[in-house]
Amino acid sequence: MVSLIEELEARESAARGRVEELEARIADLASQLEGEREVWSRLRIARETVAEVIADTSGREAAEPVAGNSGPETLTPQREPVEPEVLVVGAIMVPHWREGLSADVLPDVYRDIVEVVADSSGPMQAKQIVPRIGLPAVAGKIEGTRGKLKRLVQRGWLVEDQPGRFGRAHPMPGAKSANSQK
């Protein structure tokens, strides 16, 4: 006959085994959930960015006649110079930063973001930047702005020293110097 203590120890051991199995499944599901959240976030940012590009380019594509010809069949999209040696046809372009290039070459919203970060005393989060560029502080606008911040980091305009915290990559004309911040 098994003693009461031995029976309780056996039940306790079985319960501990079930708890450990469930904890392992929870950890696996949490990892899967984080991966799916990342995919969802990237897709949402991509959709919002495409919608912004379509909205911006539909208003910019003014047609003008080709020199020497007339008539509607000779209309071509107007080209707008972004940089002296780069022409863009109906697309937003964030050029790579280089010495002597000012934020004036950036599309309006990107220029606003760079100016807000340049005027700050330290790194900023997307949720801090959104209201300062005149957007409502809602999840969609914050995620869209985060996508723009990441693009500005990729192009050398900003740095992301800590995840989600964006700061100046270079001194900007008219911005506070790093020494005056200390």
Side-chain angles (χ1 to χ4, degrees):
M1 177 168 199
V2 177
S3 74
L4 182 57
I5 298 295
E6 290 173 340
E7 179 64 26
L8 289 173
E9 286 175 347
R11 289 183 181 194
E12 178 186 357
S13 177
R16 183 178 51 243
R18 290 190 304 271
V19 166
E20 289 171 354
E21 180 183 330
L22 289 171
E23 286 174 340
R25 288 175 50 197
I26 288 171
D28 184 45
L29 288 173
S31 174
Q32 288 178 8
L33 176 62
E34 186 60 34
E36 291 302 318
R37 278 188 177 148
E38 178 66 26
V39 169
W40 176 36
S41 175
R42 288 194 326 260
L43 290 170
R44 188 173 63 239
I45 290 168
R47 179 183 46 79
E48 290 171 354
T49 303
V50 167
E52 288 174 15
V53 168
I54 290 170
D56 287 347
T57 59
S58 65
R60 286 191 186 184
E61 289 181 314
E64 63 181 23
V66 176
N69 295 324
S70 62
E73 65 278 353
T74 60
L75 296 179
T76 59
Q78 181 179 356
R79 293 179 176 225
E80 298 181 22
V82 174
E83 292 183 43
E85 59 277 344
V86 177
L87 293 178
V88 178
V89 179
I92 293 178
M93 182 169 177
V94 177
H96 289 275
W97 183 89
R98 65 177 185 271
E99 190 67 38
L101 195 60
S102 73
D104 293 336
V105 300
L106 296 172
D108 293 342
V109 69
Y110 288 91
R111 182 175 52 244
D112 293 344
I113 291 169
V114 167
E115 288 171 355
V116 165
V117 172
D119 290 341
S120 71
S121 60
M124 298 181 74
Q125 295 177 313
K127 67 182 177 182
Q128 297 169 311
I129 295 170
V130 167
R132 292 181 181 163
I133 60 173
L135 297 174
V138 295
K141 298 299 182 185
I142 293 170
E143 290 302 317
T145 301
R146 185 173 290 118
K148 289 175 180 64
L149 287 160
K150 296 280 189 181
R151 186 170 297 114
L152 287 165
V153 168
Q154 290 172 344
R155 305 291 168 86
W157 289 92
L158 300 176
V159 294
E160 185 179 14
D161 290 333
Q162 301 170 5
R165 304 214 22 106
F166 302 88
R168 290 182 292 206
H170 313 280
M172 310 219 180
K176 300 173 190 172
S177 70
N179 294 336
S180 68
Q181 294 175 14
K182 294 181 181 176

